Amino acid sequence: MSELAERFETHDPGEKQVAEKIRCDACPVMCYIADGRTGACDRYGNVGGRIVRMDPLTILDHAAETGGAVVPFVAEGEEWGGELVNTGRRFVTAIGAGTTYPDYKPAPFIVSQEVEGVDLVTVVTEGIFSYCGVKVKIDTDRHIGDETATVRSEGEAIGHVTTGEYGSQMLSLGGVHHLTGGSKSEGRATCDALLNLCNRKPVELTIDGGATVIVEAGKAPVIDGKVEHRMRVGCGSATIGMFATQWRGLVDEVVVVDDHITGVVSEHQAGKVLGWEDTGIKIIGRRSTPGRYFKVSEPGLGWGGTTISDPLSILGDWNAKKGARPGLSLMMVSTTGEQFAYYELDEQLKPVEKPFPERLQKSVGLIEDNCEPALCTVLFIGGAGGSLRAGVTENPVNLTRSVQGLKTYVTVGGAPVYVWPGGGITLMVDVARVPEGAFGYVPTPALVAPIEFTLRRDDYVRLGGYENEIRSVEDILAKGGEYLNSRRGAGAPAGNPWPPLAQLRRGRASGAE
Ligand code: SF4
């Protein structure tokens, strides 16, 4: 018996144990697979003459929520006896379900379950997404590259830097042009990077004219070899607003150095309201409103996401007529509180650095305490408005309307998604909420993602669903499906709501189609 057959010995290969290769139809590559081998994506194999999905079908138990991690309670390869009492809170995910491709047939599993008196149907399939990518949020002030700069993995262009958000740099990676519109190696590198990012593995990205960043969902970014620890408390102006009261009486002037908006407390609206005296300070930058300056420097890896290593470089001459005097005290601090310095003006009104005074330590500590940990966030984005809908209903546009009308609740491996308004089913999901290892690929190249559609049974029948294919959870546990793989039970991660009755009731109340 081959190694693969041993793993699947519960399935009797019988007379179908053949030496010839057999064809896998689960994606357009159509691999011919010899007995005991797997196809190009390793997701399907030939076990005794039958095409088998190599990973187990994952069934989440919401009665056994784990507080985040998914903990299996059936060992890999072991058949689940279905011995647990049905709590009505089991969810058959699409992880390991197999696909509807080439979309002429119903989805691999169409599951019914009565929950709180409501008959629900969940249609479960692994979608093949050529139109997909990830949006990456990197919590850092540091300049990692210009907007629209190319992002590379293994030297290939896989995306670009997009508009920065508050305290975070953003990347837009993947998409159909990089997956299919470039060279073969560009498509392969894009697919590899997306797959690893979605499966929460670290990926090294280089940005043209910018930094090298290691991105791993849920972990701190590593920028040019340095781990980023903190996300800034706010921009320089916001920092002044938050802490001006605490600095009052301890120091004569505070400058919060920031690439976006550098703040000066004596001029800022917050300082004025609190009665801070003028200090005659001069900031070299573009004044926006009092105490708020743009472009004090170029973006970089220094103080507050600027190129600055010496903060005095952004100060002009001090003006005695406007309040500058020998002995005037000045604190300069970055938006994360990681960099700070203290100065006093000498007789020539030049700032001279002095040891950082104890009385100001607390306020710098407060900035640091208010910073959240810097993390990388990866959102998978994909279009499920294509042919996979034909595995759900004979009339695919009905599914789109039902999703848009909130009558169908969409999940990815049990994790809730955001569906974009407008046409199609363009969804986004935080990969940190999806069980690990849920994403796969095919070498077309495209990503494979689990996707589940849940709706009331009567709505499902009305939209042209495959009523005769509906099966109970118990039947699926006992018999599995077309792809003959084992079933794996796992405690659901806490925070992924199930059942989605509240949303389905809202959709019904709205009367939308
Ligand atoms: S790449 Fe994978 S899914 Fe596609 S035909 Fe080959 S084994 Fe089947």
Side-chain angles (χ1 to χ4, degrees):
M1 188 182 283
S2 72
E3 194 188 325
L4 290 186
E6 279 170 23
R7 282 177 61 189
F8 291 88
E9 59 191 346
T10 50
H11 305 292
D12 177 13
E15 303 212 341
K16 294 200 167 174
Q17 181 115 27
V18 289
E20 307 92 61
K21 292 180 177 179
I22 54 173
R23 197 177 76 188
C24 172
D25 286 333
C27 92
V29 175
M30 294 200 287
C31 301
Y32 282 89
I33 310 173
D35 188 20
R37 307 293 294 271
T38 56
C41 68
D42 284 337
R43 296 166 52 250
Y44 294 85
N46 176 346
V47 180
R50 305 283 298 270
I51 291 291
V52 170
R53 178 75 176 86
M54 303 310 298
D55 307 293
L57 173 69
T58 298
I59 296 156
L60 298 175
D61 189 344
H62 283 263
E65 287 182 348
T66 63
V70 171
V71 182
F73 44 75
V74 179
E76 198 180 339
E78 198 178 287
E79 199 75 16
W80 188 7
E83 66 280 0
L84 295 179
V85 177
N86 187 2
T87 59
R89 301 199 65 206
R90 269 190 209 149
F91 182 76
V92 178
T93 73
I95 303 165
T99 175
T100 62
Y101 192 85
D103 301 317
Y104 64 92
K105 57 184 178 182
F109 297 103
I110 302 177
V111 191
S112 77
Q113 184 166 212
E114 190 182 304
V115 183
E116 296 175 29
V118 181
D119 209 355
L120 295 180
V121 169
T122 302
V123 184
V124 168
T125 188
E126 287 179 305
I128 300 176
F129 290 88
S130 300
Y131 292 83
C132 74
V134 296
K135 306 294 179 208
V136 179
K137 174 171 164 281
I138 300 169
D139 298 336
T140 181
D141 262 354
R142 292 179 219 286
H143 178 69
I144 58 171
D146 291 335
E147 272 177 28
T148 76
T150 298
V151 178
R152 294 178 190 277
S153 174
E154 299 168 32
E156 297 289 343
I158 66 160
H160 62 271
V161 177
T162 188
T163 324
E165 299 299 344
Y166 198 75
S168 308
Q169 309 292 349
M170 304 291 292
L171 308 179
S172 181
L173 307 180
V176 71
H177 293 304
H178 289 295
L179 276 171
T180 68
S183 66
K184 211 168 178 180
S185 50
E186 179 177 334
R188 189 190 46 75
T190 302
C191 191
D192 276 2
L194 295 181
L195 180 64
N196 287 326
L197 287 168
C198 288
N199 281 335
R200 299 190 237 159
K201 298 201 173 121
V203 175
E204 184 174 290
L205 303 169
T206 54
I207 298 167
D208 286 3
T212 296
V213 187
I214 298 174
V215 172
E216 182 177 356
K219 297 277 169 60
V222 181
I223 301 169
D224 282 345
K226 287 199 193 117
V227 178
E228 185 70 295
H229 294 289
R230 291 190 204 101
M231 183 179 183
R232 70 178 183 175
V233 67
C235 68
S237 173
T239 309
I240 297 269
M242 280 185 264
F243 301 113
T245 316
Q246 334 243 358
W247 296 325
R248 187 91 176 95
L250 299 180
V251 64
D252 297 315
E253 183 65 282
V254 178
V255 176
V256 182
V257 181
D258 176 23
D259 173 42
H260 304 142
I261 307 173
T262 288
V264 179
V265 72
S266 67
E267 299 177 359
H268 192 275
Q269 193 178 353
K272 288 285 173 230
V273 171
L274 291 168
W276 284 70
E277 302 287 336
D278 289 343
T279 61
I281 194 169
K282 165 87 178 147
I283 301 286
I284 302 169
R286 182 154 71 80
R287 187 168 174 269
S288 161
T289 52
R292 299 168 73 253
Y293 292 85
F294 299 160
K295 288 189 90 64
V296 296
S297 153
E298 291 303 311
L301 303 179
W303 281 52
T306 66
T307 55
I308 294 165
S309 54
D310 174 11
L312 293 182
S313 64
I314 68 167
L315 300 187
D317 291 338
W318 292 73
N319 188 340
K321 289 186 187 141
K322 291 189 178 168
R325 57 183 160 72
L328 186 141
S329 57
L330 164 70
M331 177 170 77
M332 299 188 81
V333 64
S334 68
T335 44
T336 54
E338 282 165 299
Q339 294 106 337
F340 51 85
Y342 175 79
Y343 308 87
E344 289 178 7
L345 297 189
D346 65 10
E347 292 303 322
Q348 285 74 46
L349 302 182
K350 298 280 179 219
V352 177
E353 185 161 7
K354 302 268 169 152
F356 199 80
E358 185 66 32
R359 67 180 190 276
L360 290 173
Q361 289 285 358
K362 192 174 157 213
S363 67
V364 169
L366 200 59
I367 295 177
E368 290 187 78
D369 289 349
N370 274 273
C371 293
E372 293 169 81
L375 293 176
C376 298
T377 311
V378 176
L379 299 192
F380 169 78
I381 179 166
S387 58
L388 77 77
R389 293 175 302 169
V392 182
T393 161
E394 286 167 342
N395 194 357
V397 74
N398 282 350
L399 178 64
T400 311
R401 290 179 184 144
S402 180
V403 170
Q404 297 290 0
L406 302 181
K407 285 187 171 180
T408 294
Y409 180 72
V410 187
T411 48
V412 167
V417 307
Y418 174 77
V419 179
W420 280 69
I425 304 173
T426 301
L427 57 85
M428 290 201 300
V429 64
D430 177 0
V431 303
R433 299 181 73 171
V434 181
E436 261 175 78
F439 290 83
Y441 84 105
V442 290
T444 54
L447 239 58
V448 177
I451 185 162
E452 305 95 16
F453 300 94
T454 298
L455 65 171
R456 297 173 71 114
R457 187 184 182 119
D458 50 358
D459 285 337
Y460 182 58
V461 172
R462 208 171 297 127
L463 65 75
Y466 299 99
E467 190 175 11
N468 293 338
E469 303 293 329
I470 297 175
R471 298 169 60 193
S472 66
V473 177
E474 290 69 28
D475 188 52
I476 289 163
L477 287 178
K479 298 183 191 150
E482 175 190 352
Y483 292 115
L484 306 173
N485 48 345
S486 60
R487 276 73 69 203
R488 182 185 80 128
N496 287 354
W498 176 263
L501 292 178
Q503 182 191 308
L504 296 178
R505 284 193 185 109
R506 271 202 307 280
R508 179 157 280 215
S510 75
E513 197 169 340

